[in-house]
Amino acid sequence: MINSAVLVLNRYYQPVHVTSVKRAFSLLYLGVAKAIDSQYRLYEFADWAELSATQDCITTIERTIRVPRVLVLSAYDHLPRGRVRFSRLNIYARDNDTCQYCGKNLPRSELNLDHVMPRTQGGKTTWENVVCSCVPCNLRKGGRTPEQAHMKLLKKPVRPRWTPLFRGASRKVTYREWLPFLHLADASYWNVELLDE
């Protein structure tokens, strides 16, 4: 429980991080962040600790405290950097753990990376030239291009624009409390400036 995940929002209610319950309570206790409930009400630590809790809670010597699943930072207003790191993890996330030749969705342990244009033919290790591939497809393709191997890519590989942390989080939402803040349209509901007409 203490290492389970808590979504952290900046002061504009935009997701910036996922942290542990332990760290979330530290931020809440120090007054750096406020907890948000299902009715979008904000609570400081003392008020949050007074809420009743029967499940999804931690117990201390004195009381039982509900685990906050979403925190809003009081002063921080930045967003994570927009550039997505070119890494194995992010390539798997971009390709949704799916072989880009046969379309099988597999555990990551059964996938590897393939250069679409083989390095032996001048292919670079870039977002636009590396895809997830299962071992049988990678062996079948070998050091050839997909055309030479009579194979077809599911989609052309591109550099993603998403933040992998939140793309992954939105695919595997662990807590329903996160949902209103992970999708742009839902988050916009809370951030659009209301005008007096």
Side-chain angles (χ1 to χ4, degrees):
M1 174 65 73
I2 201 74
N3 291 319
S4 61
V6 176
L7 180 66
V8 180
L9 309 176
N10 66 15
R11 69 183 184 131
Y12 299 122
Y13 292 76
Q14 297 164 321
V16 292
H17 190 53
V18 174
T19 192
S20 68
V21 169
K22 184 178 177 182
R23 177 73 178 144
F25 272 116
S26 294
L27 294 171
L28 190 58
Y29 185 78
L30 293 171
V32 175
K34 294 180 180 176
I36 189 166
D37 71 0
S38 60
Q39 300 299 312
Y40 308 105
R41 292 177 292 219
L42 294 174
Y43 295 88
E44 294 183 358
F45 178 78
D47 298 328
W48 184 259
E50 293 299 319
L51 297 177
S52 64
T54 55
Q55 56 185 347
D56 200 19
C57 56
I58 62 167
T59 303
T60 66
I61 295 173
E62 296 177 356
R63 57 185 157 194
T64 299
I65 305 174
R66 184 193 302 182
V67 170
R69 288 298 168 198
V70 181
L71 288 183
V72 179
L73 295 171
S74 300
Y76 188 80
D77 60 3
H78 298 286
L79 281 174
R81 289 188 298 170
R83 183 178 179 277
V84 179
R85 186 179 349 166
F86 182 62
S87 68
R88 182 178 301 272
L89 180 70
N90 287 337
I91 293 168
Y92 286 179
R94 178 198 65 188
D95 294 344
N96 198 23
D97 300 330
T98 301
C99 173
Q100 294 301 294
Y101 296 107
C102 69
K104 290 182 183 170
N105 187 270
L106 297 166
R108 289 183 174 175
S109 61
E110 297 178 30
L111 292 169
N112 58 31
L113 300 180
D114 177 64
H115 287 77
V116 176
M117 172 65 73
R119 292 192 325 187
T120 57
Q121 296 185 34
K124 303 288 184 194
T125 304
T126 63
W127 280 109
E128 296 77 15
N129 193 46
V130 176
V131 295
C132 278
S133 171
C134 66
V135 174
C137 285
N138 202 338
L139 290 173
R140 181 177 156 212
K141 180 176 169 284
R144 301 174 291 178
T145 65
E147 296 77 24
Q148 293 167 339
H150 304 289
M151 298 172 77
K152 188 173 180 180
L153 275 172
L154 295 179
K155 62 184 177 194
K156 183 179 176 184
V158 295
R159 174 187 294 273
R161 293 183 171 186
W162 38 262
T163 302
L165 171 69
F166 299 110
R167 182 173 189 268
S170 66
R171 285 193 346 233
K172 303 177 202 171
V173 172
T174 310
Y175 305 102
R176 62 182 165 73
E177 293 91 341
W178 293 13
L179 285 172
F181 306 104
L182 293 179
H183 300 286
L184 183 62
D186 295 331
S188 296
Y189 177 80
W190 299 104
N191 290 315
V192 170
E193 185 172 348
L194 301 176
L195 300 174
D196 183 26
E197 294 184 32

